[in-house]
């Protein structure tokens, strides 16, 4: 059952919805009206140690705004297949421990698997063990009721009936996600931070029975629909685990490479642009290789909506660690 935070937070929820509808909300990770004039910082830590890499990357961001605040967390548990198909337990542990060290309030991991029973997937992938060890709540979306979601129909959206966003991602003051680095063979082309937000919306409307995932996966505009979710889905911190990646196949299996990087930002467009650049560096699918990075449909639509960076020059790469500068230079060349 979805956890509520009391009368004060319900009022904040209403205020948040109104501000989102008016395009007025700007937080740690929300785009501001001047986003196009600012550079989005993307920290690149070259490492083979998740714990060290995530800690170093998170240290580059001011997390004072997390102190005492409820945090909604989205990881990548689409299936019970091992990393890089799913979030590595050490990544979830390092991220949540880092948030706890920053003084974050109650944390809640909210998940919905697309390829398997969510509860079983979380058990298999040790997410439940990490939750007990670190001390955060877990919400399984499979059996939630209509009151556990907020309905959105963003202006100009291509979703036929809008979509339902799980309530924690609206009510929590901070939203954090960790995603993997991989391609997507079922029409998404790649599944990074923008695509990870799909798991934050309902598969089926509890009230009407409408299947949002059927609409998504059968639509010729699948990648556009993916991008449009992040018009209302916030990102206050994004951690991409790129120690390994799938350069083809995906999301559950594919050819593995080892970039050996942790990518952290507050801008999902910038994260995905860097992710696509890295996939191209290692040789990837024709779909992901085609055109410029910012011509990729997910990225292009998100940039049009003002969700984040609009062009390569809007991204500031911050390399950390041995060989990180050389790696960042290669990423920059692909972005350009």
């Amino acid at each position: 059952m979805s956890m509520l935070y009391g009368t004060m937070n319900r009022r904040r929820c209403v205020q948040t919805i109104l501000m989102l509808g008016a395009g007025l909300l700007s937080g740690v990770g929300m785009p501001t009206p001047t986003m196009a004039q600012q550079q989005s910082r993307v920290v690149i830590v070259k490492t083979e140690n998740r714990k060290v890499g995530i800690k170093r990357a998170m240290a580059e961001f001011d997390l004072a705004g997390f102190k005492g605040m409820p945090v909604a967390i989205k990881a990548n548990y689409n299936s019970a297949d091992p990393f890089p198909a799913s979030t590595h337990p050490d990544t979830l542990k390092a991220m949540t421990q880092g948030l706890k060290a920053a003084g974050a309030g109650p944390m809640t991991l909210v998940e919905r698997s697309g390829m398997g029973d969510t509860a079983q997937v979380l058990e298999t992938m040790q997410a439940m063990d990490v939750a007990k060890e670190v001390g955060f709540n877990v919400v399984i979306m499979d059996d939630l009721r209509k009151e556990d979601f907020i309905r959105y129909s963003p202006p100009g959206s291509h979703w036929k009936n809008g979509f339902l966003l799980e309530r924690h991602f609206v009510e929590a003051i901070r939203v954090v996600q960790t995603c993997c680095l991989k391609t997507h063979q079922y029409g998404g082309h790649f599944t990074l931070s923008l695509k990870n937000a799909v798991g934050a919306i309902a598969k089926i409307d509890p009230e009407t029975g409408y299947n949002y995932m059927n609409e998504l996966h059968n639509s010729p505009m699948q990648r556009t629909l993916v991008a449009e979710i992040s018009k209302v889905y916030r990102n206050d911190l994004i951690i991409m685990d790129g120690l390994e990646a799938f350069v083809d196949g995906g999301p559950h299996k594919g050819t593995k490479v080892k970039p050996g990087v942790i990518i952290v930002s507050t801008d999902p467009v910038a994260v995905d642009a860097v992710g696509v650049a890295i996939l191209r560096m290692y040789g990837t699918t024709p779909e992901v290789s085609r055109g410029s990075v910012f011509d990729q449909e997910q990225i292009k639509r998100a940039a049009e909506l003002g969700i984040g960076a609009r062009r390569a020059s809007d991204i500031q790469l911050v390399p950390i660690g041995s060989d990180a500068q050389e790696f960042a230079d290669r990423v920059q060349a692909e972005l350009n």
Side-chain angles (χ1 to χ4, degrees), residues 77-308:
Y77 292 113
N78 187 58
S79 71
D81 297 281
F83 178 82
S86 304
T87 297
H88 195 286
D90 292 344
T91 300
L92 181 64
K93 182 177 177 180
M95 182 181 75
T96 51
Q97 286 180 331
L99 293 171
K100 196 169 185 178
M107 298 183 289
T108 305
L109 174 70
V110 184
E111 288 295 333
R112 176 181 63 75
S113 301
M115 303 172 71
D117 176 79
T118 305
Q120 190 171 25
V121 169
L122 293 177
E123 287 287 355
T124 302
M125 300 311 301
Q126 302 175 47
M128 302 303 285
D129 294 334
V130 174
K132 292 175 184 176
E133 180 179 352
V134 178
F136 57 84
N137 300 313
V138 177
V139 168
I140 295 170
M141 292 173 59
D142 295 2
D143 299 316
L144 294 185
R145 301 166 298 179
K146 65 177 183 179
E147 55 265 34
D148 296 317
F149 297 95
I150 303 294
R151 184 178 300 279
Y152 285 100
S153 295
S157 172
H158 294 81
W159 287 86
K160 295 176 182 177
N161 301 303
F163 51 81
L164 299 177
L165 181 62
E166 204 280 338
R167 185 174 288 274
H168 282 78
F169 296 112
V170 179
E171 294 188 346
I173 306 304
R174 295 288 176 248
V175 177
V176 176
Q177 70 153 299
T178 179
C179 57
C180 300
L181 177 57
K182 53 187 178 177
T183 50
H184 191 278
Q185 64 183 302
Y186 302 119
H189 293 176
F190 53 86
T191 175
L192 309 174
S193 67
L194 291 167
K195 185 72 167 61
N196 198 35
V198 171
I201 71 171
K203 175 182 179 180
I204 296 173
D205 190 319
E207 187 174 20
T208 68
Y210 185 80
N211 193 313
Y212 296 100
M213 293 304 100
N214 278 349
E215 177 185 351
L216 176 69
H217 293 116
N218 291 322
S219 173
M221 303 186 72
Q222 178 181 156
R223 294 167 297 281
T224 287
L225 297 180
V226 166
E228 290 174 351
I229 295 171
S230 288
K231 185 66 177 175
V232 296
Y233 178 88
R234 297 193 350 256
N235 285 283
D236 295 304
L237 193 68
I238 304 164
I239 297 176
M240 177 189 288
D241 185 341
L243 265 64
E244 295 180 357
F246 289 150
V247 292
D248 59 26
H252 59 303
K253 61 181 178 180
T255 301
K256 283 200 294 189
V257 296
K258 297 184 177 182
V261 291
I262 298 293
I263 307 294
V264 181
S265 182
T266 60
D267 178 348
V269 185
V271 167
D272 282 23
V274 169
V276 168
I278 295 171
L279 291 174
R280 291 182 176 198
M281 286 163 50
Y282 286 84
T284 187
T285 64
E287 292 82 4
V288 179
S289 301
R290 189 175 300 126
S292 72
V293 169
F294 274 81
D295 280 336
Q296 289 287 317
E297 189 177 345
Q298 283 189 55
I299 293 172
K300 183 177 181 179
R301 180 56 176 157
E304 289 172 350
L305 292 170
I307 291 167

